[in-house]
Amino acid sequence: MTFWLILTVNSVAFGGLLFLLSAGFSLIFGLMRIPNLTHGSLFMLGAYFGASFMLGVGGVQLNFWLAAILATALVALLGALIERLLLRRLPGDALAQVLVTLGLSFMAADFCLMVWGGDPINIETPSALVGFTRMGPAAFPNYKLAIVAIAVVFAVGLWMLLDKTRLGAMIRAGVDDPDMARVVGIRVSRLFTIVFALGAGLAGFAGIMGGPSLSAYPGLDQDMLPLALVVVILGGTGSLLGSFVGSIIVGFIYNFGQALLPELAYFVLFLPMLLVLIFRPQGLFGRHIL
């Protein structure tokens, strides 16, 4: 019984981390129609930036949360530059966007290998979240419970931003009919830069939040990007609810698959994605993309 409880909590916690990663991917792909294959690289850069800030930059060491804020801001700025300098020049050209973002992901991998080397860098758990919480016979790491809580807070915050604020209404208007939005005075290009930076920042934040469990290492981007793709395809592009539900589903499939059928873990992980693509290509909560 304890085994199943611990596996369930680990699955939910990993699902929360996947939501932080895939929410940004879903926003960029679902709202802007940009297949951003650098998203795994942004996750990896967030982990490396955070680790560097914690180890010390210019003789100054930061605690986990300050490092997370700075790493998130830095990755968000990088995302804004990518959108403004490169992707804005390729509107509606999906093939070119795929090739550009794929090339950028390879360049980011080489950059990380050159700067941080080939050895994994461990990121320490915040001191306030070290330890375990007992629930009956089982003990659960405080940090994983915190990831679940943070994911829920971010889900509610993003939903309110997109559905309850003027900025969210402007973003939806810019996506549905950019020409009409421009006519009424909305600066659509600036909105898209904000959305891309927000998605990149979420990926960077997820990178450092996953650091205490995953570490920062070469190839982290290639490990996480397929998981984000599965989440978005399962949940549906552009749907925050779909990203949340899809993340929890993938978290369970990934952890239970690794524990019970390790030799078929990837088969079990990608089979639902294949079935969704065949029978419901828009995903569980997504809309048809025209």
Side-chain angles (χ1 to χ4, degrees), residues 23-89:
F25 188 84
S26 181
L27 282 175
I28 292 171
F29 187 49
L31 296 181
M32 301 173 63
R33 315 289 193 257
I34 294 176
N36 177 28
L37 298 187
T38 60
H39 210 70
S41 304
L42 298 171
F43 179 93
M44 181 172 67
L45 285 170
Y48 273 124
F49 287 155
S52 296
F53 289 133
M54 293 178 68
L55 292 173
V57 175
V60 178
Q61 289 183 318
L62 302 179
N63 66 31
F64 181 90
W65 299 111
L66 284 176
I69 292 171
L70 278 182
T72 300
L74 201 54
V75 176
L77 175 63
L78 182 62
L81 291 175
I82 291 172
E83 192 280 334
R84 196 169 183 86
L85 299 179
L86 297 175
L87 297 176
R88 186 175 296 185
R89 301 172 185 273

